[in-house]
């Protein structure tokens, strides 16, 4: 087993909270969340117990993809506030020992970025080679939102490449000027005092046209090292969004390589779905298998792993794989325990802390996401209207992008005092922070306890992971530190007996009463602690 260095181990102390600013809190009542809204909630984040914030893009953007189409990397979007607001936010977070990570969208810009505006003007424009242009739409790649990855541009009669939507042309990273520009962007934000970056679609920056590979080309390592040279030197946290398999994770996250700290690994998202918009039967034992595989793999090699069930691109895990109606509290807290006591870095997504669920709408007019709308348009003849809406309600990224429901007061539930950019959550009256915190089954209060337990016990951060064999239908594992061993017991949907001997004192559970024997009720969890003799 390879040991994780002390230098790297400190990242296991992080608990990151992801903010999608547009839907977090609107301070000036224009219907769009903003940075002052985030500033208002910094003490709330402290109270919850996180120590880092990942801010989704808040740069200037025409918002074809809610900020992931950046038109100026060195700016703050007007609708989100000013640079002074950003500075205040950073200072307030830092004053409370909370780090700030920015979202680096390095694979593509907006069509409105000045580089692209120049690039499309003529074939001999100095910016032409900042992007990929071709006389023919070849290789025949598909973009991630469906359809061809090439868009014809009348201006010069050529096609440009876009891995995501056509409003997001891919930067040509084979051009050293592009790499230099992006290095400057990274260093600009380091100068501003950020503590790290979440790197959007990072493996797409290296393409292999000859082999027909749209991402993970051999030059990825060289590019990443170049762009993050200073970030690595200064010990910043760098998490990449990559199509990561065992080989590529080792290659890009190995400590000596000076590339990334860790990557998001998405295997657990494919459970319970045939494709993005189609559910499939599943068992939570598949989840256990996946998690054990990655725990063992990363631990053995001294690598860091990311722990997350939710983000701004995914329907809520609780709704997909748990019971979001009559066992909402139990399944929310069970997923929290299963994931966040593993070895790795927890990432919470806004709303998760009060047990947010997927909403439900009848018509496409309630949706804003570019991917969802494209899917709707492309499939309207294939399915009946109700079948199609069922699929969209199941898989749309807008599931996670509804305004936070801070209070129990309709119609805006504390997000704003005006209609928001996207309709409020259809279940906000029932699922909101205020109601949750008043309840004796509060998901928020459970997260506070869970995160405090992690914070106060190094075994739950740095300790070794071992899965215990207790059959199907439950997940039992240990975290062994220098002085203590924690046993984490998570039952799945059905009541069952789980027999354990000598596991010590119970330090956390999600049922108020004891079952009185070794019976575990649906989604019941228990954490036990014992001293090593
Ligand atoms: C991944 C981001 O998480 C997503 O929201 C975005 O649409 C794409 N990358 C394109 O930037």
């Amino acid at each position: 087993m390879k040991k994780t260095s002390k230098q790297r181990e400190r990242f296991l102390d992080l608990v990151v909270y992801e903010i999608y600013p547009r839907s977090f809190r609107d301070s000036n009542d224009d219907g769009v969340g903003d940075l002052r809204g985030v500033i208002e909630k910094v003490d709330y984040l402290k109270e919850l117990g996180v120590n880092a914030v990942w801010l989704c893009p808040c740069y200037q953007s025409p918002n074809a993809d809610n900020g992931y189409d950046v038109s100026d990397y060195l700016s703050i979007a007007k609708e989100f506030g000013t640079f002074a607001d950003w500075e205040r936010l950073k200072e307030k977070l830092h004053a409370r020992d909370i780090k700030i990570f920015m979202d680096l969208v390095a694979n593509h810009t907006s069509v409105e970025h000045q580089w692209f505006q120049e690039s499309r003007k003529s074939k001999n424009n100095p910016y032409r080679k900042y992007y990929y242009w071709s006389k023919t739409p070849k290789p025949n790649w598909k973009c991630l939102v469906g359809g061809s990855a090439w868009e014809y541009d009348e201006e010069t009669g050529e096609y440009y490449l876009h891995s995501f939507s056509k409003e997001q042309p891919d930067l040509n990273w084979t051009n050293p000027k592009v790499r230099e520009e992006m290095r400057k962007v990274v260093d600009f934000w380091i100068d501003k005092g950020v503590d790290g970056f979440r790197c959007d679609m990072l493996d797409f920056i290296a393409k292999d046209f000859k082999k027909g590979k749209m991402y993970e080309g051999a030059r990825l390592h060289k590019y990443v090292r170049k762009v993050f040279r200073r970030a690595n030197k200064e010990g910043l946290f760098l998490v990449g969004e990559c199509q990561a398999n065992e080989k590529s994770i080792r290659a890009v996250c190995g400590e000596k390589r000076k590339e990334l700290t860790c990557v998001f690994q998405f295997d657990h998202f494919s459970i319970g779905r045939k494709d993005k918009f189609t559910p499939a039967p599943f068992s939570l034992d598949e989840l256990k298998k996946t998690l054990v595989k990655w725990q063992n793999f990363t631990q053995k090699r001294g690598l860091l792993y990311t722990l997350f069930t939710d983000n701004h691109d995914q329907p809520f895990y609780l709704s997909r794989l748990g019971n979001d109606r009559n066992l909402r509290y139990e399944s929310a807290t069970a997923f929290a325990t299963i994931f966040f006591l593993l070895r790795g870095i927890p990432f919470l997504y806004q709303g998760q802390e009060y047990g947010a669920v997927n909403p439900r709408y009848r018509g496409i007019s309630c949706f804003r996401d570019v991917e969802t709308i494209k899917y709707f348009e492309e499939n309207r003849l294939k399915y009946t209207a109700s079948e199609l809406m069922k699929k969209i309600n199941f898989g749309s990224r807008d599931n996670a992008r509804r305004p936070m429901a801070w209070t129990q007061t309709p119609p805006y539930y504390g997000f704003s005092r005006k209609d928001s950019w996207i309709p409020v959550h259809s279940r906000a009256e029932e699922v909101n922070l205020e109601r949750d915190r008043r309840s004796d089954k509060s998901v928020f209060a459970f997260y506070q306890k869970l995160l405090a337990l992690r914070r106060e016990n190094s075994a739950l951060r740095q300790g070794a992971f071992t899965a215990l064999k207790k059959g199907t239908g439950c997940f039992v594992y240990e975290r062994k530190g220098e002085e203590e061993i924690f046993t984490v017991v998570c039952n799945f949907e059905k009541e069952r007996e789980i027999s354990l001997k000598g596991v010590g004192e119970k330090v956390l559970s999600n049922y108020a009463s004891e079952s009185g024997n070794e019976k575990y009720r649906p989604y019941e969890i228990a954490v036990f602690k014992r001293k090593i003799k």
Side-chain angles (χ1 to χ4, degrees):
M1 181 136 63
K2 201 165 165 195
K3 249 188 104 48
T4 314
S5 74
K6 286 277 169 241
Q7 166 80 357
R8 272 244 157 144
E9 255 192 0
R10 74 194 156 91
F11 290 122
L12 291 170
D13 295 342
L14 289 173
V15 178
V16 187
Y17 186 94
E18 181 193 350
I19 293 182
Y20 199 68
R22 176 166 296 273
S23 303
F24 189 64
R25 162 84 185 119
D26 173 17
S27 75
N28 61 350
D29 298 320
D30 63 356
V32 176
D34 46 50
L35 295 182
R36 288 188 182 199
V38 182
I39 293 172
E40 270 179 36
K41 300 294 181 185
V42 170
D43 287 323
Y44 164 79
L45 298 175
K46 186 75 189 168
E47 202 186 341
L48 172 61
V50 304
N51 56 21
V53 159
W54 148 25
L55 204 56
C56 288
C58 54
Y59 320 104
Q60 257 177 54
S61 159
N63 287 316
D65 187 19
N66 290 349
Y68 282 94
D69 47 327
V70 180
S71 54
D72 181 355
Y73 291 96
L74 312 182
S75 69
I76 296 293
K78 284 203 185 69
E79 59 192 348
F80 287 165
T82 61
F83 237 113
D85 294 331
W86 185 87
E87 294 278 359
R88 271 196 33 233
L89 171 61
K90 179 199 72 181
E91 271 154 31
K92 194 161 177 189
L93 288 168
H94 281 172
R96 284 153 187 77
D97 288 327
I98 301 176
K99 298 191 185 308
I100 179 164
F101 304 148
M102 296 298 274
D103 208 316
L104 183 76
V105 190
N107 176 66
H108 44 262
T109 67
S110 157
V111 280
E112 288 188 18
H113 196 290
Q114 185 236 337
W115 301 336
F116 189 74
Q117 292 292 313
E118 286 296 321
S119 186
R120 77 181 345 170
K121 276 187 186 158
S122 72
K123 290 183 188 162
N124 51 16
N125 187 285
Y127 287 90
R128 186 66 170 181
K129 293 210 171 99
Y130 270 46
Y131 296 86
Y132 295 105
W133 291 97
S134 168
K135 285 194 196 81
T136 53
K138 290 221 168 87
N140 186 16
W141 285 336
K142 298 267 165 276
C143 76
L144 296 183
V145 286
S148 170
W150 294 96
E151 180 72 12
Y152 183 70
D153 198 46
E154 275 182 0
E155 197 86 18
T156 54
E158 287 194 345
Y159 295 81
Y160 65 85
L161 183 68
H162 58 93
S163 298
F164 214 72
S165 81
K166 66 178 187 334
E167 291 83 5
Q168 293 157 290
D170 281 31
L171 283 163
N172 176 359
W173 276 72
T174 63
N175 180 351
K177 285 197 182 135
V178 166
R179 305 201 289 268
E180 186 52 21
E181 296 274 14
M182 211 39 84
R183 185 195 61 75
K184 280 196 214 146
V185 169
V186 170
D187 290 357
F188 170 87
W189 286 101
I190 299 180
D191 285 338
K192 289 270 169 220
V194 303
D195 305 288
F197 295 92
R198 175 267 185 187
C199 314
D200 189 67
M201 288 177 60
L202 194 66
D203 47 352
F204 278 74
I205 64 174
K207 306 178 203 305
D208 193 329
F209 283 84
K210 277 199 197 120
K211 288 192 188 146
K213 271 173 69 178
M214 212 170 173
Y215 51 82
E216 267 186 12
R219 280 178 300 217
L220 179 66
H221 305 291
K222 176 176 151 193
Y223 299 167
V224 173
R225 272 200 295 273
K226 150 100 187 165
V227 166
F228 294 127
R229 181 165 302 146
R230 182 166 157 216
N232 270 307
K233 229 184 191 168
E234 298 186 14
L236 267 66
F237 177 73
L238 302 169
V239 53
E241 187 194 34
C242 298
Q243 319 285 314
N245 56 34
E246 283 100 325
K247 204 171 139 218
S248 64
I249 289 189
R250 278 175 84 173
V252 80
C253 303
E255 190 164 1
K256 292 212 178 97
R257 302 190 64 111
K258 306 239 179 298
E259 292 175 28
L260 297 181
T261 316
C262 50
V263 293
F264 291 120
Q265 211 293 320
F266 295 105
D267 276 1
H268 60 287
F269 276 155
S270 47
I271 296 165
R273 48 162 59 141
K274 256 199 217 119
D275 60 48
K276 198 148 195 189
F277 292 94
T278 319
F282 65 91
S283 107
L284 288 178
D285 285 288
E286 291 172 54
L287 171 64
K288 172 167 79 175
K289 226 171 118 191
T290 306
L291 293 175
V292 171
K293 170 185 153 186
W294 284 107
Q295 284 291 288
N296 289 338
F297 174 80
T298 46
Q299 172 164 273
K300 205 167 152 198
R301 288 162 183 84
L303 299 169
L304 301 184
Y305 188 64
T306 47
L307 310 168
F308 59 99
T309 50
D310 296 290
N311 67 31
H312 65 284
D313 290 333
Q314 296 292 331
F316 282 104
Y317 217 63
L318 164 58
S319 290
R320 278 212 317 110
L321 303 188
N323 179 336
D324 76 356
R325 292 279 160 182
N326 31 24
L327 291 170
R328 188 170 63 83
Y329 168 80
E330 289 75 7
S331 42
T333 52
F335 284 131
T337 310
I338 293 178
F339 276 81
F340 290 171
L341 296 184
L342 290 171
R343 182 180 170 281
I345 300 155
F347 282 78
L348 271 106
Y349 179 65
Q350 64 188 46
Q352 191 182 336
E353 74 274 26
Y354 60 79
V357 296
N358 290 344
R360 206 163 270 276
Y361 301 91
R362 290 231 182 94
I364 193 69
S365 64
C366 293
F367 292 81
R368 300 287 177 273
D369 171 32
V370 60
E371 179 190 67
T372 307
I373 290 165
K374 191 129 198 261
Y375 181 81
F376 177 84
E377 281 162 4
E378 280 174 1
N379 290 282
R380 55 197 313 178
L381 299 177
K382 203 165 158 194
Y383 303 107
T384 66
S386 78
E387 272 168 0
L388 189 51
M389 285 318 296
K390 210 167 152 195
K391 281 175 171 291
I392 284 177
N393 278 309
F394 170 77
S396 170
R397 305 196 297 180
D398 280 342
N399 272 309
R401 298 176 179 184
R402 301 288 157 182
M404 281 278 281
W406 295 98
T407 70
Q408 208 173 337
T409 318
Y412 305 122
Y413 301 95
F415 169 71
S416 179
R417 277 183 298 183
K418 204 186 145 226
D419 280 351
S420 40
W421 66 277
I422 187 170
V424 297
H425 199 289
S426 64
R427 281 175 70 188
E429 183 118 31
E430 173 203 351
V431 185
N432 60 64
L433 179 74
E434 183 180 353
R435 183 167 169 169
D436 177 79
R437 293 195 74 174
R438 283 207 194 124
S439 156
D440 50 10
K441 279 182 167 184
S442 161
V443 180
F444 182 89
F446 183 88
Y447 266 105
Q448 282 184 309
K449 281 192 233 153
L450 181 78
L451 298 180
L453 195 66
R454 233 190 108 94
R455 200 164 51 239
E456 286 153 15
N457 293 283
S458 62
L460 290 173
R461 303 192 307 276
Q462 282 89 22
F465 164 89
T466 312
L468 301 187
K469 291 204 168 75
K470 293 287 168 191
T472 55
C474 64
F475 186 11
V476 184
Y477 63 83
E478 275 183 358
R479 299 293 310 280
K480 184 176 177 192
E482 280 166 10
E483 291 167 11
E484 281 134 1
I485 297 178
F486 284 80
T487 308
V488 181
V489 186
C490 306
N491 186 33
F492 296 159
E493 311 93 309
K494 294 204 182 93
E495 191 166 291
R496 77 189 59 243
E497 251 175 50
I498 305 172
S499 136
L500 299 158
K501 297 261 162 341
V503 286
E505 172 205 2
K506 195 190 262 190
V507 290
L508 186 69
S509 79
N510 63 348
Y511 271 78
S513 64
E514 288 292 328
S515 67
N517 48 33
E518 292 183 321
K519 272 227 162 64
Y520 281 75
R521 291 154 285 188
Y523 299 108
E524 182 163 356
I525 67 94
V527 180
F528 300 92
K529 174 180 180 172
R530 67 180 190 273
K531 282 244 165 281
I532 298 175
K533 285 180 197 126

